[in-house]
Amino acid sequence: MTDDVSELHRLCDVAAEAARLAGSIMRSSFEGDFSFHEKSSFKELVSDVDLQCQETVVGHVLEAFPDHAILGEESDEHLDWRSCDGTVWLIDPIDGTTNYVNGIPFCCVSVAAARDSKVVAGAILDPFRDELFTAVRSDGAQLNGKSISVSKCKNLADSVVATEIHYALLRGRTGHFSGFPRVGRSVRSVRVMGSAALALAYVARGRLDAYWTANLSPWDTAVGQLLIEEAGGRVTDLAGNAYYPRNGPVLASNGRIHNKLLAIVH
Ligand code: IPD
Ligand code: CA
Ligand code: CA
């Protein structure tokens, strides 16, 4: 192992430790008496548990690396992570807050480390199934320490894909959904999981063949993209252009059905 790779593994280990700390908070508070409120609309919630998880993850990361920068979903300031010098952490303390608040145990913690405008290591933890997805750039993707790869599915008719029913629809922005009937007719089934980061981890593990949506944020996709690429899949925007974690649309797949989906998704 070169020094560089071992340094990235160290980032990955710290991401995994931080995710485990937050995961244990998620488990112990689940279906408990926590409070939550609406953010910019009634469609977006934040709970006390999100805030506690973020504080815990940030605390753990900064204890290990005091000079690193932080982009956390629940922070007041959202810096442009690609223009940061040094290492920056992209943190989604609970991805799938609506599921969490409703007592649906499909949600996760996502913690990524990025350098030179690239995500280089990260971890997604599903605390309810005790599944830890980890990835290190150029050194593979793993689930609970075992190497994972994307599915081998080549035909849309055999594929199971996931998406979101985004609230932008309610504002009349049907762009992402205009392709829904075509995709729905072509694939075996479409799922709406309610946690983008965990759905992306499922693509990396080969449980889903693809995932697409209109509008995610950098912390939703940072680890998921790295997992999928390290597991042999492909991630682009909905026009097939190179993707990096940002506000906007994304199509992630096993690679084999990517172009077929691109042709009908938009
Ligand atoms: C949300 C989830 C959801 C997706 C939303 C995200 P949050 O993240 O990933 O599946 O549809 O666009 O904002 O708010 O639960 O962290
Ligand atoms: Ca999220
Ligand atoms: Ca979140």
Side-chain angles (χ1 to χ4, degrees), residues 73 92 95 220:
E73 177 178 12
D92 195 336
D95 183 63
D220 294 314

Side-chain angles (χ1 to χ4, degrees), residues 4-16:
D4 259 5
V5 177
S6 64
E7 217 179 293
L8 301 190
H9 276 275
R10 167 90 181 112
L11 296 174
C12 188
D13 289 347
V14 170

Side-chain angles (χ1 to χ4, degrees), residues 92 94-96 106-110 124 133 164 194-203 211 216 219-225 227-228:
D92 195 336
I94 298 182
D95 183 63
F106 192 90
C107 36
C108 66
V109 190
S110 179
I124 286 176
F133 299 85
E164 311 286 348
S195 166
L198 203 46
L200 291 170
Y202 275 30
V203 174
Y211 170 91
L216 292 178
W219 45 80
D220 294 314
T221 58
V223 181
Q225 177 178 18
L227 279 166
I228 291 171

Side-chain angles (χ1 to χ4, degrees), residues 17-200:
E17 289 158 14
R20 284 210 183 278
L21 292 172
S24 101
I25 296 170
M26 283 171 75
R27 269 199 317 273
S28 61
S29 304
F30 191 60
E31 294 184 304
D33 196 15
F34 57 81
S35 61
F36 62 91
H37 62 267
E38 293 165 12
K39 294 210 272 189
S40 55
S41 95
F42 73 102
K43 298 281 182 189
E44 285 184 287
L45 301 179
V46 59
S47 72
D48 290 352
V49 188
D50 292 70
L51 302 178
Q52 223 185 321
C53 287
Q54 175 157 310
E55 199 182 320
T56 300
V57 171
V58 172
H60 187 75
V61 166
L62 291 182
E63 196 182 322
F65 304 111
D67 58 337
H68 287 185
I70 302 284
L71 169 58
E73 177 178 12
E74 309 306 345
S75 309
D76 292 337
E77 274 183 61
H78 286 161
L79 49 80
D80 172 9
W81 69 273
R82 291 181 94 227
S83 59
C84 286
D85 290 331
T87 304
V88 54
W89 291 74
L90 287 75
I91 297 163
D92 195 336
I94 298 182
D95 183 63
T97 296
T98 302
N99 280 351
Y100 189 81
V101 165
N102 280 269
I104 300 171
F106 192 90
C107 36
C108 66
V109 190
S110 179
V111 184
R115 278 182 181 168
D116 302 325
S117 305
K118 275 190 190 147
V119 177
V120 290
I124 286 176
L125 176 73
D126 172 352
F128 301 104
R129 287 165 198 77
D130 197 23
E131 290 196 323
L132 179 71
F133 299 85
T134 50
V136 168
R137 186 165 289 280
S138 304
D139 207 40
Q142 301 192 317
L143 167 54
N144 289 345
K146 288 192 181 142
S147 201
I148 53 172
S149 50
V150 294
S151 75
K152 294 192 166 37
C153 177
K154 283 188 194 139
N155 302 315
L156 287 185
D158 299 321
S159 68
V160 177
V161 306
T163 189
E164 311 286 348
I165 300 176
H166 200 268
Y167 73 93
L169 269 179
L170 305 183
R171 297 181 184 148
R173 283 165 40 206
T174 54
H176 146 74
F177 238 60
S178 62
F180 187 89
R182 284 190 297 275
V183 177
R185 280 193 297 272
S186 307
V187 303
R188 176 163 292 140
S189 196
V190 182
R191 298 280 179 264
V192 176
M193 321 287 283
S195 166
L198 203 46
L200 291 170

